[in-house]
Amino acid sequence: MQTVYVDILVFLNTVIDCVLLLIAAAVGERKPVRWRLVAASFLGGGYSLILLLPALSGPVLTISRLLSAAVITAVAFPFRSLRAFLYQWGLFYLAGFLFAMLLAPSLNIL
């Protein structure tokens, strides 16, 4: 059985979400508000605790991931329009995909 340290799990995911949000803000040419960025990062770190739940079905897990990313994006960036929101949401996902493909394997964290 694998040991999971909750504090480290939440901390690492909070930091990673902060970096991903900063990347999404830079690419989307948005100036992030510090308290929004911190709050959204903590939400993302807290969402990582879903790993400790019993196995969720594929559709439920997919929907929860999409909704959590939407909430994180909504908290991080003030609402301008639906189009701007979807754009930032997509940038947040793109930054996450790139992180998972390029950086995470070399860090042995995924």
Side-chain angles (χ1 to χ4, degrees), residues 19-107:
V19 169
L20 297 178
L21 288 167
L22 286 170
I23 292 169
V27 173
E29 297 178 346
R30 300 280 301 260
K31 185 173 177 5
V33 177
R34 186 175 296 161
W35 73 266
R36 286 180 164 274
L37 189 69
V38 170
S41 298
F42 275 114
L43 283 173
Y47 177 75
S48 67
L49 295 175
I50 200 166
L51 294 172
L52 304 178
L53 295 176
L56 298 173
S57 67
V60 171
L61 190 59
T62 300
I63 290 170
S64 74
R65 286 179 178 164
L66 290 170
L67 289 176
S68 70
V71 169
I72 291 167
T73 303
V75 170
F77 305 106
F79 189 80
R80 290 183 181 172
S81 68
L82 181 59
R83 181 182 171 138
F85 167 76
L86 293 174
Y87 181 66
Q88 287 301 137
W89 189 29
L91 290 175
F92 179 58
Y93 255 102
L94 180 62
F97 289 143
L98 291 174
F99 174 81
M101 288 175 40
L102 302 174
L103 193 57
S106 63
L107 297 175

